[in-house]
Amino acid sequence: PADRIVANFSGHYGPVYALQRNPFFPKNFLTVGDWTARIWSEDLRESSIMWTKFHRSYLTDGCWSPARPAVFFTSRMDGCLDVWDYMFKQNDPTLSFRCVTKH
């Protein structure tokens, strides 16, 4: 099926918590694991084509925007949600906000 990833892609140092194809560019997919999110292309297996900086806190999930092809979201163990727009800003989240606070 078209939703299967049929090769191995190495890049995370721990388990992958999220994997999702880009709804606009199906050959590209997002993975979230360890301290980074990575964007991969099925055509380039040697390395991810883009990745986020390493965070101090583990990333816990991620998904693509259903409306904008270059936008994706990640959540972190420290309770923050990050919005990434690679057309606007590549090295940092476009928007980051804390959803949960520690007691």
Side-chain angles (χ1 to χ4, degrees), residues 31 33 40 44 47 52 62 71-72 82 87:
T31 60
W40 305 83
L44 301 169
S47 176
T52 63
V71 174
F72 65 94
D82 295 327
M87 297 301 285

Side-chain angles (χ1 to χ4, degrees), residues 3-98:
D3 60 338
R4 289 187 62 194
I5 309 286
V6 296
N8 290 329
F9 294 84
S10 299
H12 291 286
Y13 294 105
V16 172
Y17 297 111
L19 184 146
Q20 186 182 38
R21 286 194 183 275
N22 186 307
F24 299 92
F25 303 103
K27 284 195 170 198
N28 295 342
F29 58 96
L30 170 71
T31 60
V32 174
D34 56 50
W35 302 272
T36 63
R38 294 176 177 267
I39 297 173
W40 305 83
S41 171
E42 286 186 346
D43 296 332
L44 301 169
R45 296 184 180 166
E46 295 80 33
S47 176
S48 53
I49 56 176
M50 295 179 199
W51 54 90
T52 63
K53 65 181 180 180
F54 279 80
H55 294 280
R56 290 185 204 161
S57 182
Y58 255 47
L59 297 184
T60 57
D61 205 357
C63 67
W64 290 102
S65 166
R68 299 194 54 195
V71 174
F72 65 94
F73 309 93
T74 58
S75 60
R76 299 192 317 233
M77 188 82 76
D78 63 2
C80 288
L81 176 69
D82 295 327
V83 181
W84 297 83
D85 184 344
Y86 268 111
M87 297 301 285
F88 177 68
K89 200 176 192 184
Q90 290 79 38
N91 297 322
D92 292 302
T94 304
L95 176 67
S96 183
F97 58 95
R98 185 170 300 281

